Amino acid sequence: MSCDTKKCTNYALRDVKFYNKWRRMFLFLVTHIFYMIRFKLVYRLEVQGKENIPLNNDFIIAANHLSTLDPPLVCGIMNKGVAYMAKKELFENIFLRWWLNWLGAFAVDREKLGVSTIKTVKNLKQTGWVLGIFPQGTRQEPGEISNITKGFASLAKSTKCGILPVGIVGTNEVKRFPFTGKIIVKIGEVIPYSDDVEDMVSKWGEAIENLTGFKYIKDKVQV
């Protein structure tokens, strides 16, 4: 069963009231308490560059992607609610739809950047939330930054949001015992939005290379 157009639009367009105090509280409990205890106890989490996080909401968080731990990790280190885009097919499952709704996520069509997506990100700027996105789309092996999609830069241009680069190292290594892992998160300086999408993509790739030590492969950028 596929997600019909009307339902997908409902899950893609989130108004300001959707991001209320109850949803923020739920996100805090899940990420700041449940996950952060694991990150600090098992992975000895180290965060650098928190001073680079803007006080306003005029930015998009863009991080490299190594593991399913990355979304709650980014949420846990931020002083704001972080809303993620999730592929629309996930909203077909009743439980996943409930879970994603309460975490503030919204549906997106990976084939194209819809009007609803742009409106939702603009609405986020009026709340205590920001958009979180992984420009690589899916999880990648550590060592290189490649297969970057340009959609995040186009979204930054359309919504007049800067891009906050976040470099993640260590979440790909599964650990279960206390103090057996190590996660390092480095937050870079905001990349100002501009009309030059290609330039924003390059600046993000270079920033993540500097933050993680992974090699930025410029010829592996996708449309």
Side-chain angles (χ1 to χ4, degrees), residues 119-216:
K119 287 183 177 179
T120 295
V121 178
K122 287 182 176 179
N123 288 338
L124 281 172
K125 294 170 70 174
Q126 302 176 52
T127 70
W129 296 60
V130 293
L131 173 66
I133 195 168
F134 298 102
Q136 293 168 287
T138 58
R139 287 168 285 169
Q140 305 285 328
E141 291 296 321
E144 71 174 40
I145 304 298
S146 60
N147 299 316
I148 303 169
T149 57
K150 301 177 184 178
F152 79 105
S154 297
L155 192 57
K157 172 186 173 182
S158 300
T159 59
K160 294 180 170 56
C161 285
I163 299 171
L164 182 69
V166 176
I168 301 172
V169 176
T171 54
N172 57 295
E173 299 179 2
V174 179
K175 303 292 182 181
R176 295 181 175 83
F177 300 102
F179 309 114
T180 56
K182 181 67 176 179
I183 292 176
I184 299 176
V185 179
K186 295 182 180 181
I187 304 169
E189 296 182 358
V190 171
I191 301 167
Y193 76 86
S194 72
D195 292 330
D196 191 337
V197 172
E198 299 282 350
D199 183 58
M200 284 190 286
V201 172
S202 292
K203 286 182 177 177
W204 179 81
E206 291 166 359
I208 297 299
E209 180 178 65
N210 291 331
L211 294 170
T212 63
F214 300 160
K215 185 174 178 58
Y216 169 39

Side-chain angles (χ1 to χ4, degrees), residues 27-176:
L27 181 72
F28 180 87
L29 288 173
V30 172
T31 61
H32 286 68
I33 297 179
F34 178 78
Y35 274 101
M36 286 302 281
I37 289 175
R38 177 183 176 186
F39 292 142
K40 292 180 179 180
L41 180 63
V42 178
Y43 289 94
R44 297 175 297 154
L45 174 63
E46 178 183 336
V47 181
Q48 301 175 23
K50 291 195 73 171
E51 67 277 5
N52 291 323
I53 302 175
L55 297 178
N56 60 37
N57 288 0
D58 297 334
F59 68 98
I60 293 171
I61 300 170
N64 63 302
H65 199 8
L66 300 174
S67 162
T68 54
L69 294 176
D70 297 336
L73 171 64
V74 172
C75 288
I77 64 176
M78 291 292 157
N79 54 2
K80 304 173 182 290
V82 180
Y84 286 99
M85 295 188 295
K87 61 181 181 180
K88 61 184 182 180
E89 291 79 10
L90 294 178
F91 287 83
E92 296 169 10
N93 180 286
I94 295 176
F95 173 75
L96 280 179
R97 182 165 65 242
W98 176 87
W99 181 253
L100 292 170
N101 278 337
W102 271 100
L103 290 176
F106 56 98
V108 64
D109 186 342
R110 288 187 172 184
E111 300 299 321
K112 59 182 178 180
L113 185 62
V115 175
S116 296
T117 301
I118 296 174
K119 287 183 177 179
T120 295
V121 178
K122 287 182 176 179
N123 288 338
L124 281 172
K125 294 170 70 174
Q126 302 176 52
T127 70
W129 296 60
V130 293
L131 173 66
I133 195 168
F134 298 102
Q136 293 168 287
T138 58
R139 287 168 285 169
Q140 305 285 328
E141 291 296 321
E144 71 174 40
I145 304 298
S146 60
N147 299 316
I148 303 169
T149 57
K150 301 177 184 178
F152 79 105
S154 297
L155 192 57
K157 172 186 173 182
S158 300
T159 59
K160 294 180 170 56
C161 285
I163 299 171
L164 182 69
V166 176
I168 301 172
V169 176
T171 54
N172 57 295
E173 299 179 2
V174 179
K175 303 292 182 181
R176 295 181 175 83

